[in-house]
Amino acid sequence: MSDLIERVEVLVSRPARNYVTLRLTTRDGIVGLGDATVNGRELAVASYLRDHVGPLLIGRDPGRIEDVWQYLYRGVYWRRGPIGMAAIGAVDVALWDILGKRTGQPLYALLGGRVRDRLATYRHALGWDLPALLEQVDAHREAGFDNIRVQTGVPGLDIVYGISSGPVYEPAGRGAAPVEETWDTDSYLRHIPGVLAAVREHVGDSVGLLHDVHHRLTPIQAARLGKAVEPVGMYWLEDVTPAEDQEALRLVRQHTTTPLAIGEVFNTVWDCQQLISNRLIDYIRVAVVHAGGISHLRKIFALAEVHGVQAAPHGPSDVSPVSLAASIHLGIATHNFAIQEYMGYPDLVHEAFPHAWHVAEGHLQPGDEPGLGVSIDDDLHNPEDYEPAYLPVARRRDGTLTDW
Ligand code: CS2
Ligand code: MG
């Protein structure tokens, strides 16, 4: 058969930042791409793909997308986890890409067709102090974006999640070992409600404001913050508590009507089953790359739809333009998909992954090329460019390691 998988390539490269990309090629030359980037642990997933998954794909029918998913998930016996699920996700997305190219259809058409004309997105505004933050908020508004995530410095702390000294923030890549940040919850909780209120005052009512707490609070602290910012009318507060404790969100929920978003570190539907079925969150943030690909995200989003929870996937610079394409196609075709994070990329990343998806009038569009509509510029994917780059870790003032 001419359409079986013939070649499996795992590209580890650094066009401005590290990415792991899977490229599957069929005997008749159709190419499918998948993103397998796990920020700070790239080589682990590359090895999983090269050493264990790749050899099992040669000679397999790329059209049996669900069966391949089940084969790689159930067939391995060991379950879940970011490395295995990123590898499965990359294979899944590459197979959907091949199907699109074989049938000449953009992916969203194969996923049921458009349910909306354009996909809402949000951009990041960051600033150490309020004037610097408002400058970025204004710049995004002038560029046509209606939803903005705001992150700011905390008095007394040197480095804070989501902020850099320059205009661009990159979570990883600050050396061969993780940077150690100092964290102080009390200072943060005293400072942030006033900042969010000032931003609301500045932008007026029509802008969606989001803020990422990045897993830093206990349930009762999160409840207090949610309550304190109710007058701001936030679009959401994100990752208020470490997400693996699903039951913790019940306490937060009992105290506040501020919408809650969670899930960028989840890998499967079982990580968020209670959160969704008990309606403890408003937005589920699983990403195509980290939660088993398009096939598995569709199941998570279907469960969410039944329980009135909306989809809002993770989309930082470490989710490559390949995954972002998959998410945009899924978003344009999924009824309960609310918004797609789009942090943006350095120019070199856009050049390394030429893509049909684009921003138009403050919204995302998938483009109409067959499959994902993303290709690879091989010259910009040199394995020698790879450099270890870790996410930071955080310690409280007394030295205790805490959630970053
Ligand atoms: C984040 C990310 O975009 C977000 O909401 O929380 O910046 C996250 O810290 C990184 O993607 C981790 O790799
Ligand atoms: Mg986040």
Side-chain angles (χ1 to χ4, degrees), residues 122 124 149 161 212-215 236 238-239 264 285 314 341:
Y122 67 89
H124 295 191
R149 172 184 119 148
Y161 164 76
D212 192 345
V213 184
H214 226 252
H215 329 275
W236 77 42
E238 176 177 333
D239 287 341
E264 63 183 50
R285 287 193 25 85
H314 194 203
E341 178 182 21

Side-chain angles (χ1 to χ4, degrees), residues 129-192:
D129 53 21
L130 192 59
L133 177 60
L134 294 181
E135 211 173 286
Q136 289 209 3
V137 167
D138 290 346
H140 287 311
R141 292 196 67 200
E142 275 155 32
F145 295 100
D146 296 334
N147 301 293
I148 303 172
R149 172 184 119 148
V150 290
Q151 305 295 138
T152 191
V154 174
L157 300 182
D158 294 338
I159 315 176
V160 174
Y161 164 76
I163 299 290
S164 69
S165 43
V168 178
Y169 168 73
E170 167 56 51
R174 301 183 199 163
V179 166
E180 299 217 352
E181 300 178 357
T182 304
W183 178 246
D184 184 336
T185 301
D186 288 341
S187 305
Y188 168 78
L189 280 178
R190 267 195 299 276
H191 186 63
I192 196 70

Side-chain angles (χ1 to χ4, degrees), residues 18 22 73 80 107 109 118 131 137 139 171 186 203 205 210 222 233 235 239 295 308-309 317 333 380 386 393:
N18 292 329
L22 176 71
Y73 182 83
R80 304 158 72 176
L107 211 69
R118 54 193 197 157
V137 167
D186 288 341
V203 296
D205 290 339
L210 305 86
Y235 190 114
D239 287 341
S295 300
V309 173
S317 57
L380 298 176
Y386 172 78
V393 298

